[in-house]
Amino acid sequence: QPNVEVCTDGIEAVNATGVQTCDGVQHDVDIILLATGYRLDIARAPFDVQGIGGRRLQDEWSGPGARAYRGVTVAGFPNWFVLMGPNTGPGHTSVLVYTEAQVKYACQAIDRLLNEGVKSITVKPHVQRRYGDFLRRRLQKTNWSSGCTSWYLDEHGENHSMYPGLVTEYVLGIRKFNPADYDIVPILPRASTT
């Protein structure tokens, strides 16, 4: 519209007649819409995380996007547990329900590390892949994948943020740590010197 202007300059002041931007220009307006927007960086590691063979989480997640088993463990990164990782965002309830379930799940694995002579626990790559395929199939049937663009989707149109089901389904699925889903490396007993 000829009477509409998008202004992305910084705001110096809001005054009685409108907005003065940092470049000193006064914009007289009737209505001010402030849309800051944001970007969900779920595909970026929060800090440098290194796994088996020097692999870096940032590199692992840069191609296909963030992937994790149950949103908690990542193949190739032993003894590393994530809270509110990929595809654990709720669309209908509090994140506390998810994080409480994730903490209980991680504590079961950590208990094995501390009390059962285990050196490392790493989700098996095929288990993580199978879970990711399941999520992508489910996400195709959600409103998040309806063809619109939103902050839920990455530049390839994939959703790595939301869980495509009910919270009860997620919590029940993560309530018990299943050692069969993991490569578990025992601590080797020390060789006897006698």
Side-chain angles (χ1 to χ4, degrees), residues 122-192:
T122 314
V123 67
K124 295 175 180 175
H126 76 274
V127 170
Q128 179 176 302
R129 206 170 22 258
R130 184 180 64 222
Y131 182 73
D133 292 344
F134 161 76
L135 289 176
R136 282 184 286 292
R137 281 192 308 275
R138 291 278 301 272
L139 281 162
Q140 288 175 357
K141 300 175 184 177
T142 67
N143 60 334
W144 296 300
S145 300
S146 63
C148 63
T149 48
S150 75
W151 67 273
Y152 296 112
L153 305 176
D154 68 9
E155 65 274 13
H156 307 291
E158 287 199 38
N159 183 329
H160 300 282
S161 56
M162 305 304 288
Y163 180 72
L166 299 174
V167 67
T168 52
E169 177 187 3
Y170 180 82
V171 170
L172 289 174
I174 199 170
R175 76 182 179 281
K176 185 163 175 29
F177 177 81
N178 183 359
D181 292 337
Y182 291 83
D183 288 322
I184 298 177
V185 177
I187 295 173
L188 298 175
R190 294 178 187 231
S192 175

Side-chain angles (χ1 to χ4, degrees), residues 54-105:
R55 68 189 344 158
R56 295 180 62 226
L57 187 64
Q58 181 64 34
D59 298 333
E60 297 284 319
W61 283 1
S62 66
R67 304 270 198 260
Y69 180 59
R70 304 274 185 199
V72 178
T73 57
V74 179
F77 294 85
N79 303 342
W80 191 60
F81 304 95
V82 184
L83 298 182
M84 293 310 297
N87 293 109
T88 60
H92 55 286
T93 190
S94 169
V95 298
L96 296 178
V97 179
Y98 286 78
T99 55
E100 286 175 356
Q102 292 164 0
V103 166
K104 289 176 186 176
Y105 183 82

